[in-house]
Amino acid sequence: MTLTRRAAIAIGLGAPLVLLTRPALASPETMNAAIAEFTDGRSVQEGRITLDIPVLVENGNSVPMTVEVDSPMTPEDHVTEIAVFNERNPLPDVVRFRPSPALGLARFQTRIRLGDTQKITAIARLSDGTLWSAAMTVIVTAPACIES
Amino acid sequence: MTDALVNIPETATPGEIIEIKLLISHPMETGFRPRSDGSLVPRDIITSVRCLYGGETVLEVDLNPAISANPFLVFHLRADRSDEIALEWTDWGGVVHREARQITVA
Amino acid sequence: MKRGGVAALAVLLTGPAQADERRSGFDYMGPETQLMQTDDMANPGMLAVQAGMRLWQETAGDAERSCESCHGDAEKSMRGVAARYPAYDATAQSAVDVAGRVNLCRTRHQGAEPLPQEDADLLALVSLIGLQSRGLPVMPDPDPQMSQWRSRGADLFDRRMGQLNLSCAQCHDDNAGGHLGSAPIPQAHPTGYPIYRLEWQEMGSLQRRLRGCLSGVRSDPWPYGSDAYVAIEAYLMQRAAGMPMETPAVRP
């Protein structure tokens, strides 16, 4: 069966989304401000970093995310910091990784919360000072039959 | 005490890139969740995780309320010597928790 | 909901998707959530198991006995136990689920207070016990006293309830495989409990899951510990007989 959105709301769908997004919502502007602070006004190029998040997630409370930078991770050429930002959670910062070249591979996996369907942006700073970015939109669905 | 699952290989070949996994038991209370009386449940999160290889910091991670409950982290490390690999994480009260394993590289 | 609303819902409920085979809720999940369950290092349920292992060895109550002091190694003594529960306890003259059994051991054998339903320590012990049945087939308790519990559970499963006037069976037998909003409707197999539910962001029992479905149909959930839950649990386990246990499962 497929219930209409109204019927689904009657059964309790949708409620969990409200939880995370109720307080002073971050906005594309607050995300852009956080990004500007991170990049210190320098230009950001697209590429070298990849963001892997399932496009459609079953519950915004736990969304698997992998971020990887194409880097040899040598003392001469490595990633110094990766920052991940979101558009619509109450705070724009998701996570930051500061690796040393000793890691050998700049790939990080974690699980994040997304209060709503939104755009995620990842930016890597390399040892030569250049900045690289990737972005994607994630659609968050909600489970049914939640406790009220 | 906090429960945590730590997965660090016990052995590796020189130069091998090993995978390290950490799963920490923690609610990651965002500070944005309203109680029934309208007040907010105070924030209580793990704020940072650090990995040390033979005492030298090789990774720092800053966590925010947008990290899921029971924080999960997977990363890699180039194993080039037998030494201690330690994971340290700091909670909202500033307490540092530590789990360390010895790796044999041969 | 008004009469008209119920009629509209009834129309919406008549989908095809008649399930012809038993499938775990696991099969309806996305690959990422499945991986979260199957990788023990990624499954937060294993944190509860680790806590359970610690509690297993700790003394509790006036008797100053640990679970281990009577039952030894949980991996051996608890193997297959959860796959057989709820089981009949002759002394209590009642069916008990695994959590109920743990509390009987606390009161009878440890001289300790029972742990409240959904208490993290209780869930941890039940998760540890449940893990020892992972991969084993559900094998309902053969005690003849159990049949009346199962038939009561079956009655409840088929009874329409709540403002939405829906029975468990209407969703989980007739419409399993369909969708409620964006959520797939599973067949309601109890094989993974206690579960780590992403929605809860913590562990929870089958009773807690059933309460979610009860409030979903706008029916007041029965109080925790009510016989009605144990009856439904017993019926669901019989309905899932032979299916592999998955504790600790992950669900959205």
Side-chain angles (χ1 to χ4, degrees), chain A residues 1-4 7-13 16 19 54 56 58-59 61-62 64 111 113 141-148, chain C residues 1 9 12-13 29-30 32-33 36 42 44 164 175 178-183 185 197-201 208 212 216 218 252:
Chain A
M1 76 180 171
T2 307
L3 294 176
T4 58
I9 285 166
I11 299 181
L13 268 166
L19 268 186
L56 196 87
E58 287 166 300
N59 190 306
N61 286 337
S62 181
R111 296 195 283 243
R113 288 174 166 138
T141 65
C145 294
I146 54 142
E147 294 152 14
S148 32
Chain C
M1 202 185 239
L9 193 61
L12 289 161
L13 275 168
M29 307 195 302
E32 296 83 15
T33 317
M36 189 169 169
L164 299 191
N175 287 288
H179 281 77
L180 183 60
S182 55
I185 303 176
R197 194 170 178 214
L198 306 186
E199 179 53 31
W200 299 330
Q201 309 187 53
R208 182 171 179 192
R218 296 282 180 271

Side-chain angles (χ1 to χ4, degrees), chain B residues 73-100:
Chain B
L73 197 64
V74 184
F75 62 96
H76 296 79
L77 177 65
R78 186 185 283 125
D80 55 14
R81 61 190 190 276
S82 298
D83 216 326
E84 182 194 70
I85 299 177
L87 290 166
E88 293 183 352
W89 59 99
T90 307
D91 67 22
W92 194 241
V95 178
V96 179
H97 306 256
R98 184 183 157 92
E99 289 276 344

Side-chain angles (χ1 to χ4, degrees), chain A residues 10-11 146-148, chain C residues 1 156 159-168 210-223 229:
Chain A
I11 299 181
I146 54 142
E147 294 152 14
S148 32
Chain C
M1 202 185 239
L156 287 167
R159 187 185 300 168
R160 286 170 173 265
M161 17 189 165
Q163 287 173 38
L164 299 191
N165 200 33
L166 287 171
S167 70
C168 319
L210 299 182
R211 290 169 73 88
C213 278
L214 286 170
S215 34
V217 295
R218 296 282 180 271
S219 169
D220 282 334
W222 312 305
Y229 290 115

Side-chain angles (χ1 to χ4, degrees), chain A residues 95-116:
Chain A
V95 64
R96 296 209 181 174
F97 302 98
R98 279 183 300 279
S100 93
L103 294 195
L105 180 65
R107 179 160 77 216
F108 305 94
Q109 189 192 335
T110 187
R111 296 195 283 243
I112 67 172
R113 288 174 166 138
L114 295 177
D116 207 342

Side-chain angles (χ1 to χ4, degrees), chain C residues 16-62:
Chain C
Q18 177 73 40
D20 49 22
E21 228 179 65
R22 289 183 308 171
R23 291 171 68 192
S24 159
F26 178 89
D27 294 353
Y28 298 91
M29 307 195 302
E32 296 83 15
T33 317
Q34 289 185 339
L35 192 64
M36 189 169 169
Q37 174 173 325
T38 52
D39 176 0
D40 280 352
M41 259 310 298
N43 183 345
M46 294 308 285
L47 290 166
V49 169
Q50 179 176 285
M53 186 58 88
R54 199 177 60 240
L55 293 161
W56 181 262
Q57 293 159 355
E58 272 174 19
T59 60
D62 297 338

Side-chain angles (χ1 to χ4, degrees), chain A residues 111-135:
Chain A
R111 296 195 283 243
I112 67 172
R113 288 174 166 138
L114 295 177
D116 207 342
T117 294
Q118 58 181 296
K119 190 171 116 180
I120 304 296
T121 303
I123 303 181
R125 193 197 324 272
L126 305 190
S127 48
D128 65 4
T130 56
L131 294 156
W132 300 83
S133 81

